Coordinates of all heavy atoms in Angstrom, one line a residue:
R178 N -80.0 -93.4 -23.7 CA -79.2 -93.1 -25.0 C -77.9 -93.9 -25.0 O -77.6 -94.5 -26.1 CB -79.0 -91.6 -25.1 CG -80.1 -90.8 -25.6 CD -79.7 -89.4 -26.0 NE -79.0 -88.7 -24.9 CZ -79.6 -88.0 -24.0 NH1 -80.9 -87.9 -23.9 NH2 -78.9 -87.4 -23.0
D179 N -77.2 -93.9 -23.9 CA -75.9 -94.6 -23.9 C -76.1 -96.1 -24.1 O -75.3 -96.8 -24.8 CB -75.2 -94.4 -22.6 CG -74.6 -92.9 -22.5 OD1 -74.7 -92.2 -23.5 OD2 -74.2 -92.5 -21.4
A180 N -77.1 -96.7 -23.5 CA -77.4 -98.1 -23.6 C -77.8 -98.5 -25.0 O -77.3 -99.5 -25.6 CB -78.5 -98.5 -22.6
K181 N -78.6 -97.6 -25.7 CA -78.9 -97.9 -27.1 C -77.7 -97.8 -28.0 O -77.5 -98.6 -28.9 CB -80.0 -96.9 -27.5 CG -81.4 -97.1 -27.0 CD -82.4 -96.1 -27.5 CE -83.7 -96.3 -27.0 NZ -84.7 -95.3 -27.5
A182 N -76.9 -96.8 -27.7 CA -75.7 -96.6 -28.5 C -74.7 -97.8 -28.4 O -74.0 -98.2 -29.3 CB -75.0 -95.3 -28.2
A183 N -74.7 -98.4 -27.2 CA -73.8 -99.6 -26.9 C -74.5 -100.9 -27.4 O -73.8 -101.9 -27.3 CB -73.5 -99.6 -25.4
G184 N -75.7 -100.8 -27.8 CA -76.4 -102.0 -28.3 C -76.9 -102.9 -27.1 O -77.1 -104.1 -27.4
V185 N -77.0 -102.4 -25.9 CA -77.4 -103.2 -24.8 C -78.8 -102.8 -24.2 O -79.3 -103.4 -23.3 CB -76.4 -103.2 -23.7 CG1 -75.1 -103.8 -24.1 CG2 -76.2 -101.8 -23.1
Y186 N -79.5 -101.9 -24.9 CA -80.8 -101.5 -24.4 C -81.8 -102.6 -24.6 O -81.9 -103.1 -25.7 CB -81.2 -100.2 -25.2 CG -82.6 -99.7 -24.9 CD1 -82.8 -99.0 -23.7 CD2 -83.7 -100.0 -25.7 CE1 -84.0 -98.5 -23.4 CE2 -84.9 -99.5 -25.4 CZ -85.1 -98.8 -24.3 OH -86.4 -98.3 -24.0
V187 N -82.5 -103.0 -23.6 CA -83.5 -104.0 -23.7 C -84.9 -103.5 -23.4 O -85.8 -103.8 -24.2 CB -83.1 -105.2 -22.7 CG1 -84.2 -106.3 -22.8 CG2 -81.8 -105.7 -23.0
F188 N -85.1 -102.8 -22.4 CA -86.5 -102.5 -22.0 C -86.5 -101.3 -21.0 O -85.6 -101.2 -20.1 CB -87.1 -103.7 -21.3 CG -88.4 -103.5 -20.8 CD1 -89.5 -103.5 -21.6 CD2 -88.6 -103.3 -19.4 CE1 -90.8 -103.3 -21.1 CE2 -89.9 -103.1 -18.9 CZ -91.0 -103.1 -19.8
A189 N -87.4 -100.5 -21.1 CA -87.6 -99.4 -20.1 C -89.2 -99.2 -20.1 O -89.8 -98.8 -21.0 CB -86.9 -98.1 -20.5
G190 N -89.7 -99.5 -19.0 CA -91.2 -99.4 -18.8 C -91.7 -100.3 -17.7 O -91.0 -100.8 -16.9
S191 N -93.0 -100.6 -17.8 CA -93.5 -101.5 -16.8 C -93.9 -102.8 -17.5 O -93.9 -102.9 -18.7 CB -94.8 -100.8 -16.2 OG -95.8 -100.6 -17.2
I192 N -94.1 -103.8 -16.6 CA -94.4 -105.1 -17.1 C -95.9 -105.4 -16.9 O -96.4 -105.2 -15.8 CB -93.6 -106.2 -16.4 CG1 -92.1 -105.9 -16.7 CG2 -94.0 -107.6 -16.7 CD1 -91.1 -106.8 -15.9
D193 N -96.5 -105.9 -18.0 CA -97.9 -106.3 -17.9 C -98.0 -107.8 -17.6 O -97.7 -108.6 -18.4 CB -98.6 -106.0 -19.2 CG -100.1 -106.3 -19.2 OD1 -100.6 -107.0 -18.2 OD2 -100.8 -106.0 -20.1
E194 N -98.3 -108.1 -16.3 CA -98.2 -109.5 -15.9 C -99.3 -110.4 -16.5 O -99.3 -111.6 -16.4 CB -98.3 -109.5 -14.4 CG -97.1 -109.0 -13.7 CD -97.1 -109.0 -12.2 OE1 -98.0 -109.6 -11.6 OE2 -96.1 -108.5 -11.6
T195 N -100.3 -109.7 -17.2 CA -101.3 -110.5 -17.9 C -100.9 -111.0 -19.3 O -101.6 -111.8 -19.9 CB -102.6 -109.7 -18.0 OG1 -102.4 -108.6 -18.9 CG2 -103.1 -109.2 -16.7
V196 N -99.7 -110.6 -19.7 CA -99.2 -111.0 -21.0 C -98.0 -112.0 -20.8 O -97.1 -111.7 -20.0 CB -98.7 -109.8 -21.8 CG1 -98.1 -110.2 -23.1 CG2 -99.8 -108.8 -22.0
A197 N -98.1 -113.1 -21.4 CA -97.1 -114.1 -21.3 C -95.8 -113.6 -21.9 O -95.7 -113.0 -22.9 CB -97.5 -115.4 -22.0
P198 N -94.7 -114.0 -21.2 CA -93.4 -113.5 -21.7 C -93.0 -114.3 -23.0 O -93.4 -115.4 -23.2 CB -92.4 -113.8 -20.6 CG -93.1 -114.9 -19.8 CD -94.5 -114.7 -20.0
V199 N -92.1 -113.7 -23.8 CA -91.6 -114.3 -25.0 C -90.1 -114.0 -25.1 O -89.6 -113.0 -24.5 CB -92.3 -113.8 -26.3 CG1 -93.7 -114.2 -26.3 CG2 -92.1 -112.3 -26.5
L200 N -89.4 -114.8 -25.8 CA -88.0 -114.6 -26.0 C -87.8 -114.3 -27.5 O -88.2 -115.1 -28.4 CB -87.2 -115.9 -25.7 CG -85.7 -115.9 -26.0 CD1 -85.0 -114.9 -25.2 CD2 -85.1 -117.3 -25.8
V201 N -87.1 -113.2 -27.8 CA -86.8 -112.8 -29.1 C -85.3 -112.9 -29.3 O -84.5 -112.2 -28.6 CB -87.3 -111.4 -29.5 CG1 -87.0 -111.0 -30.9 CG2 -88.8 -111.2 -29.2
S202 N -84.9 -113.8 -30.2 CA -83.5 -114.0 -30.4 C -82.9 -112.9 -31.4 O -83.6 -112.1 -32.0 CB -83.2 -115.4 -31.0 OG -83.7 -115.4 -32.3
A203 N -81.6 -112.9 -31.5 CA -80.9 -111.9 -32.3 C -81.3 -112.0 -33.8 O -81.2 -111.0 -34.5 CB -79.4 -112.1 -32.2
N204 N -81.8 -113.1 -34.3 CA -82.2 -113.2 -35.6 C -83.8 -113.0 -35.8 O -84.4 -113.4 -36.8 CB -81.9 -114.6 -36.2 CG -82.6 -115.7 -35.6 OD1 -83.4 -115.6 -34.7 ND2 -82.3 -116.9 -36.1
D205 N -84.3 -112.4 -34.7 CA -85.8 -112.0 -34.7 C -86.7 -113.2 -34.6 O -87.9 -113.1 -34.7 CB -86.2 -111.2 -35.9 CG -85.5 -109.8 -35.9 OD1 -85.2 -109.3 -34.8 OD2 -85.3 -109.3 -37.0
A206 N -86.2 -114.4 -34.3 CA -87.1 -115.5 -34.0 C -87.7 -115.4 -32.6 O -87.1 -114.9 -31.7 CB -86.3 -116.8 -34.1
V207 N -89.0 -115.7 -32.6 CA -89.8 -115.5 -31.3 C -90.2 -116.8 -30.8 O -90.7 -117.7 -31.5 CB -91.1 -114.6 -31.6 CG1 -91.9 -114.5 -30.3 CG2 -90.7 -113.3 -32.1
A208 N -89.9 -117.1 -29.5 CA -90.2 -118.3 -28.8 C -91.1 -118.0 -27.6 O -90.7 -117.0 -26.9 CB -89.0 -119.1 -28.4

Side-chain angles (χ1 to χ4, degrees):
R178 280 192 305 275
D179 290 350
K181 286 180 178 180
V185 297
Y186 177 79
V187 177
F188 177 79
S191 60
I192 295 175
D193 182 349
E194 294 181 6
T195 65
V196 177
V199 297
L200 173 66
V201 180
S202 67
N204 67 357
D205 294 330
V207 178

